[in-house]
Amino acid sequence: MRRSLAGVALAVTSMVALSFLIPLAALVMSLVKEQSVTAAEQRAAALAPVLTLTTDPAALRESVAGLDATEYLVIHLPDAPPLGSSQAPGALLQRAQKARESISQEIPRGWISLQPVVLPGDRVAVIENFVPEEELTRGVKASWAVMALLAVGLVAGSVLVADRLGAKVVRSSRNLAQASRALGEGDLDTRVDPVGPRELRDAGVAFNAMAHRMTELLAVERELVADLSHRLRTPLTALHLASERMAGTPESARVEAAVAELEAELEAIITAARTPLAVGPMGQGLLGTPDTNAADHGARCEAADVVRRRTAFWEVLAEQQKRPCSLELTQEPTAVGLSDDDLAAVVDALIGNVFRHTAPGTPFGVRVVRTAQAVELVVEDSGPGIPRPDQALSRGGSSGSSGLGLDIARRAADVTGGSLRIARGPRGGAHITVTLALAPPLPSERRPRTSRRRPGWLRRR
């Protein structure tokens, strides 16, 4: 923008300068020429009264000596040689003598002025005044040079002023863009100093108001989440009391374990909601960006261990609904750049979708596969599948669902530099593969030696 404004100022000022400079240069040249010709005619008119009084060559030479430019002033007397060196063409001289006509016109080497004077006895003398070409253009080049310097100074000054104004506009817009990027990356404290033109100042004030309002809304939202989570503690207490009354029954241990797990999840939700507004789980939380790698913040877990624990939690419900459940885990290291809670949320979201969108008794399976550069988490079922996989990753895009579960899995994959694929699997239902890039080895870890893999699948039904 700064360069564009300077270019516009240069173009406009140049056109204005040229539109005035060209006519002014022609006018200066015309004025200089007119002044030289007028001075020559005045010299000739001043000598005419002398010719009416005397034609004595000595007296005429004395009169001519009192005038300027005497070397170009010539007197043509009748029946006598001219007094001076004549530059007039013969045709013009005869025309002035015979027709008694005043002639003033341009000739190849300059300008000639012929003034006839009628003498006693009806004789005609001609006063010739020649103006050389250098006299016609004397001072013109100097005037043109001065005008050109003034034009250059005017153009340079306008470009400099436009550049200063453009720099102020560019600086204001650049600060606003940087603050917008910082706010988008999760820096809620970023603000701009409204400077520059009035429109940009208004935009800066509006940006600050928006950022302040966004911070307030997010704080209120997180507080509401924490309050709602606190309200769930009352029914949890009732469940604890019910499990105590069930003590000694076969179901009491399972109910107590489920209640303890639910209470732990509830505490995690409250803790996360009450933390300051910043980058949260999966490196993005409420305000993070998908390309923020959680591994850069120290998050790390063994994917196989987390999947084993969460699948064991869901197996209780699977047994109640008579759902066959299979689990296959690799025995190789599966460290990924996510925290235990983040990966557990992914597993819960994917398995929860199976229970939510398939009928009781529908089999499903969970696998963890180790590749050269990544860990693949596969969840598949024998249900109806996902009819539109391309829309399933958008919240509200999947049929009868908010799409939040798949969105959580996709964001987790993006954080580690992986991906999420949805297809129809061998079981006939949905086949979801979450690829998580392997976390870099810790400094204290030694690179493992290459060895032959042993049969590393653990199957549990």
Side-chain angles (χ1 to χ4, degrees):
M1 180 183 293
R2 182 176 178 181
R3 184 175 299 177
S4 300
L5 290 176
V8 170
L10 175 63
V12 172
T13 312
S14 299
M15 288 188 293
V16 173
L18 289 176
S19 64
F20 281 96
L21 191 62
I22 294 176
L24 187 60
L27 179 61
V28 168
M29 187 171 184
S30 176
L31 288 176
V32 171
K33 184 177 181 179
E34 184 178 353
Q35 289 176 357
S36 300
V37 172
T38 300
E41 292 175 349
Q42 289 176 352
R43 286 192 296 267
L47 193 59
V50 179
L51 282 173
T52 60
L53 297 177
T54 180
T55 57
D56 181 41
L60 293 175
R61 286 192 179 93
E62 185 177 353
S63 298
V64 169
L67 301 174
D68 296 332
T70 57
E71 66 271 19
Y72 299 115
L73 190 61
V74 181
I75 301 176
H76 296 272
L77 296 173
D79 304 326
L83 301 178
S85 178
S86 177
Q87 303 290 335
L92 291 179
L93 187 60
Q94 291 180 3
R95 175 181 164 188
Q97 289 174 343
K98 292 180 180 181
R100 300 178 182 182
E101 176 184 356
S102 297
I103 299 174
S104 181
Q105 70 178 46
E106 187 175 2
I107 61 175
R109 297 185 305 276
W111 191 275
I112 193 71
S113 176
L114 300 177
Q115 180 69 39
V117 178
V118 180
L119 302 177
D122 200 27
R123 295 180 302 166
V124 177
V126 178
I127 302 174
E128 173 191 340
N129 198 341
F130 174 72
V131 182
E133 187 173 1
E134 57 270 15
E135 290 290 332
L136 294 175
T137 58
R138 177 175 293 180
V140 173
K141 292 183 179 180
S143 300
W144 285 0
V146 172
M147 288 187 292
L149 289 176
L150 290 176
V152 170
L154 177 63
V155 172
S158 64
V159 171
L160 181 61
V161 172
D163 180 71
R164 292 296 90 197
L165 293 176
K168 185 180 295 185
V169 173
V170 169
R171 190 182 306 112
S172 301
S173 58
R174 184 182 294 120
N175 292 339
L176 186 59
Q178 291 175 351
S180 300
R181 283 192 295 268
L183 183 64
E185 292 172 358
D187 184 5
L188 295 180
D189 294 329
T190 184
R191 297 293 186 272
V192 297
D193 184 16
V195 294
R198 182 173 60 85
E199 292 79 5
L200 286 178
R201 291 199 302 271
D202 293 342
V205 172
F207 174 85
N208 291 339
M210 178 194 67
H212 181 70
R213 183 58 177 166
M214 182 184 300
T215 304
E216 289 181 346
L217 291 176
L218 288 174
V220 170
E221 181 181 356
R222 293 175 72 91
E223 191 64 27
L224 286 176
V225 172
D227 291 344
L228 291 175
S229 301
H230 271 294
R231 294 180 185 179
L232 293 177
R233 286 181 170 175
T234 300
L236 274 179
T237 303
L239 287 176
H240 271 299
L241 295 176
S243 64
E244 290 177 358
R245 288 195 298 268
M246 294 171 58
T249 63
E251 298 294 329
S252 63
R254 293 182 179 180
V255 173
E256 186 65 29
V259 171
E261 187 71 25
L262 182 59
E263 188 172 13
E265 293 293 335
L266 189 59
E267 289 293 338
I269 293 175
I270 295 174
T271 302
R274 287 285 170 82
T275 54
L277 293 175
V279 176
M282 288 190 223
Q284 51 196 31
L286 290 174
L287 300 174
T289 55
D291 58 350
T292 304
N293 195 335
D296 295 338
H297 303 281
R300 188 183 183 90
C301 72
E302 281 291 330
D305 295 340
V306 176
V307 173
R308 179 186 295 109
R309 292 197 305 268
R310 299 313 303 163
T311 305
F313 172 79
W314 287 97
E315 277 186 342
V316 178
L317 182 58
E319 289 180 2
Q320 294 178 358
Q321 296 186 0
K322 296 181 171 37
R323 292 177 181 267
C325 172
S326 64
L327 176 65
E328 298 179 2
L329 300 175
T330 179
Q331 297 298 318
E332 297 184 73
T334 55
V336 295
L338 292 173
S339 66
D340 290 358
D341 293 338
D342 292 337
L343 186 55
V346 174
V347 178
D348 290 343
L350 296 180
I351 299 180
N353 280 344
V354 175
F355 282 83
R356 189 176 301 111
H357 300 293
T358 61
T362 303
F364 71 95
V366 180
R367 288 187 290 133
V368 175
V369 183
R370 162 71 184 268
T371 63
Q373 302 293 334
V375 175
E376 292 184 354
L377 169 62
V378 180
V379 178
E380 55 185 350
D381 59 67
S382 301
I386 300 177
R388 294 182 179 179
D390 54 338
Q391 298 181 3
L393 293 178
S394 300
R395 294 192 180 184
S398 55
S399 177
S401 170
S402 65
L404 180 59
L406 292 179
D407 182 68
I408 291 175
R410 178 188 60 79
R411 290 188 292 121
D414 291 342
V415 165
T416 64
S419 62
L420 185 145
R421 299 189 306 275
I422 302 175
R424 185 172 293 276
R427 298 171 179 263
H431 183 92
I432 302 175
T433 304
V434 181
T435 303
L436 306 171
L438 288 171
L442 297 175
S444 59
E445 294 178 350
R446 293 182 299 178
R447 186 179 300 275
R449 297 181 180 178
T450 303
S451 61
R452 177 178 297 181
R453 295 183 181 178
R454 58 178 179 176
W457 298 104
L458 175 63
R459 181 177 298 272
R460 181 169 55 190
R461 295 184 182 274

